[in-house]
Amino acid sequence: MQARHEKYLLELTGLPTATGREGRVVDWIERWTRRRRSVELHRDRYGNLMLKRVGSRSRKPIVFTAHMDHPAFVVVEQIDSKQVLAEFRGGVQDRYFVGSRVRLRLGGAESRPGRVLRLDAPVKPRLDKRAVIGFARPVTANAGDVITWDLAPPKIVRGLLSAPACDDLAGLAAAIAAFEVLLKAAPRPGAADVRVLLTRAEEVGFIGAIGACKSGIIPKAARLIALETSKSFADSPIGAGPIVRVGDRTASFDPGLTYCVGQVAQRIEQRDPGFNWQRKLMPGGTCEATAYQALGYTATCLCLPLGNYHNMNDGTPMVFAGAKRSGRSKAVARARPCKAKIDAEVISLSDYHALVRLLIEAGKTLDHKAHLPPLRRQLDTLFARRRGLLADTSL
Ligand SMILES: [Zn+2]
């Protein structure tokens, strides 16, 4: 099973994708769906995708969500046979552009190497910066073609995945891997109706997620678990486990749902002390859970700590977690002296597998009241047991 989940991870994190140009990821999902009779694929008017078990009708499903885009260039027009004007969609600092190697993605696996020659700031009414890309040999590019950074295909070395686009295709791979396992499990009492929502255009302000809230593709009472990769910090190291993200730079998430997901993680850890997970507020960016919450849904987030966020390797060492010993994780800093450059994004494979495991367990038990009493009931039980302590009021 793990080999299959790694195959999904390796395939997806290497797909060229860009905000508004997520077609290759959509193709992958369509192929995956076609091979499974038990899955329905729905599409809203904005091109967001919803996967569900055939015939599922719950008004209160659990929805794993991930986005299909990654920061990249989109061709505006060809300037001459060896130069192309392209828009950059996503958050990458200006200093990473000029001189960096890129690849113009044509049909199939075909591509042409190029280099960023110039970068222009956005001029109103345009919202995105534009770059002139130069090619050594003549190319034919069409408006809308994707240009990605020129990075090696995804590879796994010593338990770490280095890939062009972990954000958010690793989250998407985890959602699909867990959904697939849950589809095979016979529906049991307490098992949730789990669906997968895949959104477009997250990197410029979760436009697809906002559209999904408006299009009616998400049942109003759904509980959304947004899956992300999120910039790792010293106190949220790579390899210390998936993160129950209580909030982001902008907002904090639904306390009830976040609590329940944390309880699921804690139950796995009680059974298997080798299971690592973290509970953090990740302030490195704003994620779709904030949009879902603001638009009236119940949402929380699970994320994977990410190195070289948005392909920006600024030369500061990534922080990795050592093996868990006596219940405490030991952070180990590995020095990687280099200057700022475009680089592969990095996640830990064990974090990925633990995220899939957490999602599977969440799907199986989140609606199981006996397994997961809400916090309020736990407090009431505690009060009933200990209220005697308050009997003496003569203080
Ligand atoms: Zn991102």
Side-chain angles (χ1 to χ4, degrees):
M1 197 166 75
Q2 285 210 341
R4 191 179 181 82
H5 296 173
E6 282 170 29
K7 179 174 169 278
Y8 291 166
L9 184 66
L10 288 165
E11 283 178 16
L12 284 160
T13 57
L15 288 179
T17 183
T19 301
R21 304 297 295 164
E22 298 89 351
R24 289 173 177 87
V25 182
V26 174
D27 287 348
W28 191 98
I29 293 295
E30 285 175 342
R31 282 200 304 278
W32 183 88
T33 307
R34 270 201 294 276
R35 294 197 299 268
R36 281 159 190 85
R37 284 224 197 112
S38 54
V39 180
E40 284 173 23
L41 174 62
H42 297 262
R43 200 179 303 251
D44 73 3
R45 64 177 182 274
Y46 301 114
N48 298 303
L49 306 179
M50 181 76 89
L51 300 168
K52 56 193 261 195
R53 190 195 282 265
V54 170
S56 64
R57 282 198 186 80
S58 162
R59 295 208 313 223
K60 219 184 152 199
I62 302 279
V63 183
F64 302 156
T65 84
H67 64 88
M68 299 188 281
D69 58 325
H70 183 78
F73 303 85
V74 176
V75 171
V76 175
E77 62 188 15
Q78 183 134 17
I79 298 169
D80 59 38
S81 66
K82 290 187 180 177
Q83 287 194 6
V84 158
L85 179 67
E87 185 169 84
F88 192 80
R89 301 177 182 169
V92 173
Q93 292 164 14
D94 291 356
R95 62 185 170 133
Y96 288 91
F97 282 79
V98 174
S100 286
R101 291 168 186 279
V102 297
R103 242 168 214 282
L104 168 66
R105 303 291 171 169
L106 302 168
E110 255 196 278
S111 66
R112 300 281 182 274
R115 207 180 270 275
V116 181
L117 301 180
R118 208 179 79 204
L119 184 70
D120 296 327
V123 181
K124 277 182 182 172
R126 284 196 281 106
L127 296 169
D128 300 301
K129 48 198 176 200
R130 287 182 167 190
V132 174
I133 313 281
F135 297 87
R137 299 217 174 115
V139 296
T140 308
N142 294 304
D145 283 350
V146 173
I147 299 176
T148 63
W149 302 116
D150 192 2
L151 293 164
K155 61 174 188 292
I156 294 170
V157 179
R158 289 194 296 275
L160 295 176
L161 170 80
S162 300
C166 293
D167 171 16
D168 185 24
L169 297 166
L172 193 155
I176 293 294
F179 182 55
E180 184 178 83
V181 172
L182 290 166
L183 281 173
K184 284 181 187 152
R188 279 196 308 204
D193 171 9
V194 173
R195 303 181 190 179
V196 175
L197 171 65
L198 304 175
T199 58
R200 302 180 61 206
E202 188 271 352
E203 296 292 354
V204 297
F206 24 80
I207 309 305
I210 298 169
C213 292
K214 295 176 186 291
S215 72
I217 200 169
I218 316 170
K220 272 288 161 209
R223 292 149 297 162
L224 294 129
I225 301 178
L227 305 178
E228 262 293 354
T229 55
S230 185
K231 184 178 173 150
S232 145
F233 290 93
D235 70 340
S236 52
I238 298 165
I243 296 163
V244 175
R245 186 179 191 177
V246 301
D248 59 23
R249 183 192 285 166
T250 306
S252 47
F253 306 144
D254 182 78
L257 183 59
T258 309
Y259 168 78
C260 284
V261 172
Q263 289 292 101
V264 173
Q266 212 165 64
R267 284 172 53 86
I268 304 175
E269 191 186 9
Q270 279 161 3
R271 289 199 307 265
D272 174 5
F275 178 81
N276 290 316
W277 67 287
Q278 316 180 57
R279 185 180 181 282
K280 303 280 174 194
L281 189 144
M282 301 294 280
T286 303
C287 85
E288 289 178 319
T290 285
Y292 296 129
Q293 288 261 113
L295 286 150
Y297 287 91
T298 298
T300 191
C301 178
L302 285 172
C303 65
L304 296 170
L306 175 71
N308 295 341
Y309 167 72
H310 282 185
N311 305 105
M312 293 182 284
N313 180 345
D314 64 4
T316 55
M318 283 186 236
V319 180
F320 298 95
K324 200 175 185 186
R325 289 182 195 95
S326 57
R328 298 178 64 196
S329 43
K330 186 181 160 205
V332 182
R334 194 194 293 169
R336 301 189 345 139
C338 62
K339 65 181 193 6
K341 63 170 185 183
I342 287 294
D343 209 343
E345 290 186 328
V346 176
I347 59 164
S348 141
L349 201 58
S350 65
D351 291 350
Y352 168 74
H353 286 303
L355 174 61
V356 175
R357 186 173 173 189
L358 180 50
L359 289 171
I360 294 168
E361 195 66 17
K364 286 182 175 168
T365 60
L366 260 186
D367 279 350
H368 211 300
K369 292 289 180 297
H371 280 181
L372 282 177
L375 182 55
R376 169 69 192 264
R377 198 184 328 150
Q378 297 207 42
L379 296 179
D380 285 343
T381 308
L382 186 63
F383 186 69
R385 241 189 248 149
R386 303 285 254 165
R387 63 185 301 166
L389 290 170
L390 307 175
D392 184 357
T393 54
S394 62
L395 305 170

